[in-house]
Amino acid sequence: MQEQVAIIIGAGPSGLATAACFSRLSIPYIILEREDCFASLWKKYAYDRLQLHLRKQFCELPHMPFPASFPTYVPKSMFIQYLDDYVSHFNINPLHRRTVESTEYDEVSKTWQVKARNAGSGEVEDYRGKFLVVATGEATDPYTPEIEGLDTFSGEILHSTQFKSGKEFNGKKVLVVGSGNSGMEIALDLVNHGANTYIIVRSPVHFLSREMIYMGLVLLKRFEVGTVDSLMVMMSKVVYGDLSKYGIRRPSEGPFYMKDKYGKYPVADVGAYEKIKAGEIQVIPAEIASMSGKELLFEDGKSRSFDTIVFCTGFKRSTSLWLKGDDYLLNEDGLPKPSYPNHWKGKKGLYCVGFARKGIYGASTDAQNIADHIKSLL
């Protein structure tokens, strides 16, 4: 059994930020990662045109700013380069291809005991640490909803994590399921590459420009969320007008309130709105009821056929399957029970990072808080 001071589970940006903060404070740690690389969501499971939706100063990891030459909105390739440099700079060496099967707190030794399967050898390895940091993030396991007849669909089915570029779908009729940022951006990429593009927009959604979101984040440092939300909605109405004629409803609750309460982000519009307005992206305001072959029946009674379906339906978390002995920090869905800003600290040396629904900026703050707290206990 390998004994450590701290064990970090997950080598995405949250885990890397925590590792860097530990290094700065000379806290010994190991970092376990189930994929064969760090930041796998960015390196393996993100579409090509992805950019950070927030300005770069909101997306830096602790103790290493982006190079001044980087653009305001950092594209995927440059963010990956930044993460590579970050890992080199802080000498972070994740143990890759380690899938955690169980973690339990041992009351006798006052340590967390972690069992992880090594995909290379097939063997289960044992680790023990005084502190355990869950850094598996909000986006762990791709989620596709259960739909009657889904297994009979004769076209191509993708989750957003499998989509790379719209250029493969020129001339095809494609349905995007899910109207968050990934859904809107993938729909835009599809139509820009000549696909006949449809998107299901069932829930009300806020459209904001990236500049509005930046202004909102700055104002939130000084004003109540309700005040900022009122301004955001007013500006959205001025810029985007009445969205209902395109099949899109505005929520009754404000964009930043919804982000904090439900983890539902406003759409940071980078061009999808104009395509919807022009009728190039067609909105379907109804869920899929069932499907057979390439034919889809919708809840509004209409049926349409598609060559491809892209599910931009987000992720579930599997933390509850392997995290044992915690009834305080994380709920069944793998999200924190304590409310912000105390969401990161559990009991018995258990912590979580990157679950505040505040993006990379929130994860960086969590990482520093965790490192400072552990240092104070050592």
Side-chain angles (χ1 to χ4, degrees), residues 61-231:
L61 297 187
H63 311 299
M64 190 172 131
F66 283 116
S69 59
F70 273 34
T72 304
Y73 296 97
V74 178
K76 178 178 101 163
S77 59
M78 294 177 93
F79 187 60
I80 289 171
Q81 180 58 55
Y82 167 76
L83 293 175
D84 286 343
D85 293 343
Y86 193 83
V87 164
S88 297
H89 181 76
F90 290 104
N91 194 27
I92 302 169
N93 295 295
L95 297 173
H96 293 119
R97 302 181 73 203
R98 301 312 202 277
T99 301
V100 172
E101 296 192 344
S102 72
T103 61
E104 279 192 75
Y105 186 73
D106 179 38
E107 294 286 357
V108 178
S109 64
K110 304 288 188 224
T111 57
W112 285 92
Q113 302 194 353
V114 178
K115 291 185 181 296
R117 188 168 296 278
N118 183 329
S121 68
E123 292 180 4
V124 173
E125 299 169 344
D126 291 306
Y127 301 92
R128 181 181 284 182
K130 190 173 181 181
F131 305 101
L132 180 67
V133 183
V134 179
T136 46
E138 294 175 51
T140 313
D141 302 307
Y143 169 71
T144 301
E146 289 181 19
I147 298 168
E148 185 188 332
L150 183 64
D151 55 346
T152 71
F153 185 69
S154 55
E156 186 179 11
I157 293 175
L158 301 173
H159 187 268
S160 60
T161 52
Q162 298 166 297
F163 180 92
K164 290 295 176 229
S165 165
K167 60 177 179 268
E168 305 158 44
F169 303 96
N170 181 283
K172 291 194 172 177
K173 193 173 177 183
V174 184
L175 175 66
V176 177
V177 181
S179 55
N181 279 298
S182 294
M184 288 292 174
E185 221 168 309
I186 284 172
L188 176 63
D189 200 47
L190 284 162
V191 80
N192 284 344
H193 284 95
N196 186 0
T197 307
Y198 291 73
I199 187 168
I200 292 178
V201 183
R202 190 76 185 85
S203 306
V205 62
H206 285 290
F207 269 82
L208 301 177
S209 68
R210 295 197 294 198
E211 290 69 28
M212 286 180 209
I213 292 172
Y214 171 66
M215 181 192 287
L217 290 171
V218 171
L219 291 172
L220 281 170
K221 291 177 179 174
R222 296 198 160 193
F223 299 99
E224 291 290 318
V225 69
T227 306
V228 177
D229 274 345
S230 297
L231 179 64

